[in-house]
Amino acid sequence: MSRFKVFITRPIPEEILAKIAAECDVDMWHTSAILPPIAEKIPPLDGLLTYGHEPVSAEMMDTAPNLKSISVMGVGYDHVDEDAARERGIALGHTPGVLSDTTADMTMALLLAAARNVVPAYNHVQVAKAWTYYDPNILWGYDVHHATLGIVGMGRIGYAVAKRAVAFDMRVLYYKRNRRPDWEEELGIEYAELEHLLQASDFVTLHVPLTEETTHMIGKAELALMKRTATLVNIARGPVVDHYALYDALASGQIASAAVDVTEPEPINTDHPLLSLDNVIIAPHLGSATIQTRMKMATMAMENLLAGLKGEQLPYAVLQPGWHT
Ligand code: DGY
């Protein structure tokens, strides 16, 4: 029997690669620097493992009559046309759960860094070499403890953020399509409509998946509802926030600061106006980027890929093999 042909879009840990290579002929893009030409790679494939967010469209699937397994190394799969995969019976897997705590840690890191001026402090001391005398009047930030946190999108990651925020003695409001009375009771958190959450929060963190409904969910009108002292943290997907509205809100002092792990586009253009501001922190999509978590994600992605190739049930499925509408 001929071996499955698989393409992996970016380098993955060697031990995981070796397990896939034991069963498949693998072509792996060996650099993370440039977007791999995956449209050209797809036609002969049985399986595709995407690590990064390169779009996988219906047209691309149509060029690959043998494609049976798409494995996303990540929880978000907005870059893959799910309907097209479903219509073609292609299995689609992702890596939920395993990265929730890690992404929640990064959310708190961004929130704390923005609140307590960690980046300006670094710039002051290590970049500008300006710490030549002790000045007790510089870089005053905002308290995180006893402040109000508004969590928009209360899934696994939002829940993990709420747990951390409660440990910081924060008051936590959350907005979600389906209310979670069990989590309200367990964590002592409160449900709020989006408008109220934006008005009442000192920190707002975003954790919604990217859909038509959530695209530019935070724009001019929503930013105008926020406190002038508030910080916006986006660790969901860049297009959830209208970046030009965000620039205006930050430049005009409509909100105090932002800390984002995701941008639109990604990477953000080097001449984007947001990069000229000193009240925004931009991280290069690091939410799940720890050694431990990326190993777990790679393992799950490998298990999904191989199961889909063999027509078996995916352990972490969006679509099981042969799933038709
Ligand atoms: C995810 O898991 O969706 C992250 O964005 C990493 O790809």
Side-chain angles (χ1 to χ4, degrees):
M1 202 179 102
S2 67
R3 284 157 58 89
F4 295 118
K5 287 189 180 47
V6 161
F7 181 62
I8 302 175
T9 61
R10 282 166 213 257
I12 59 169
E14 276 186 18
E15 50 269 61
I16 306 296
L17 177 61
K19 287 188 181 156
I20 299 174
E23 300 189 42
C24 309
D25 290 337
V26 179
D27 179 8
M28 185 173 78
W29 194 251
H30 280 276
T31 171
S32 301
I34 348 161
L35 202 65
I38 67 170
E40 290 166 27
K41 299 280 183 184
I42 279 183
L45 294 184
D46 300 294
L48 172 69
L49 191 155
T50 75
Y51 178 28
H53 308 97
E54 10 338 272
V56 185
S57 64
E59 293 72 36
M60 287 159 107
M61 293 177 204
D62 281 339
T63 65
N66 298 331
L67 188 62
K68 38 188 142 320
S69 185
I70 301 176
S71 176
V72 172
M73 187 166 147
V75 64
Y77 51 89
D78 46 275
H79 53 294
V80 178
D81 188 331
E82 179 188 347
D83 290 338
R86 179 185 289 110
E87 282 157 18
R88 290 157 183 75
I90 299 171
L92 174 60
H94 66 148
T95 63
V98 69
L99 45 73
S100 304
D101 282 323
T102 305
T103 307
D105 286 348
M106 183 66 182
T107 308
M108 294 309 284
L110 289 171
L111 187 158
L112 288 160
R116 297 306 305 273
N117 289 316
V118 173
V119 175
Y122 170 83
N123 285 335
H124 180 69
V125 177
Q126 289 163 263
V127 179
K129 310 255 185 302
W131 193 24
T132 50
Y133 64 96
Y134 174 61
D135 184 348
N137 283 322
I138 58 165
L139 297 178
W140 288 11
Y142 289 101
D143 276 337
V144 170
H145 65 86
H146 299 100
T148 298
L149 170 65
I151 297 178
V152 179
M154 190 70 174
R156 297 183 196 87
I157 297 171
Y159 170 83
V161 171
K163 270 172 62 177
R164 284 156 178 75
V166 167
F168 270 83
D169 288 330
M170 299 181 90
R171 174 185 177 214
V172 179
L173 307 176
Y174 78 96
Y175 169 71
K176 177 177 169 58
R177 265 184 315 189
N178 306 312
R179 209 170 150 167
R180 289 296 300 250
D182 50 339
W183 287 352
E184 289 171 30
E185 192 172 321
E186 179 194 337
L187 299 173
I189 62 178
E190 302 158 49
Y191 174 81
E193 291 299 334
L194 183 60
E195 193 177 313
H196 173 63
L197 178 150
L198 293 170
Q199 285 167 335
S201 298
D202 301 301
F203 300 91
V204 174
T205 63
L206 307 178
H207 308 282
V208 289
L210 181 63
T211 61
E212 255 173 59
E213 202 185 337
T214 63
T215 299
H216 290 190
M217 169 183 201
I218 304 296
K220 189 171 179 213
E222 291 73 26
L223 291 161
L225 293 172
M226 291 175 66
K227 297 182 184 180
R228 295 185 81 80
T229 51
T231 294
L232 179 72
V233 177
N234 185 10
I235 198 152
R237 285 289 185 258
V240 172
V241 177
D242 175 342
H243 280 40
Y244 290 95
L246 179 63
Y247 171 82
D248 287 343
L250 289 167
S252 66
Q254 173 65 53
I255 64 171
S257 63
V260 304
D261 189 46
V262 286
T263 59
E264 182 186 30
E266 214 164 278
I268 194 163
N269 300 330
T270 49
D271 60 354
H272 195 289
L274 269 182
L275 267 58
S276 66
L277 299 176
D278 59 12
N279 54 348
V280 59
I281 300 170
I282 304 177
H285 206 132
L286 296 179
S288 59
T290 65
I291 295 161
Q292 299 92 333
T293 294
R294 284 287 158 89
M295 273 305 294
K296 290 179 196 157
M297 289 164 68
T299 305
M300 292 164 81
M302 178 255 304
E303 290 171 4
N304 276 336
L305 178 75
L306 295 179
L309 287 170
K310 295 172 193 163
E312 295 168 1
Q313 295 283 298
L314 271 57
Y316 318 100
V318 178
L319 300 170
Q320 292 292 2
W323 213 104
H324 288 277
T325 40

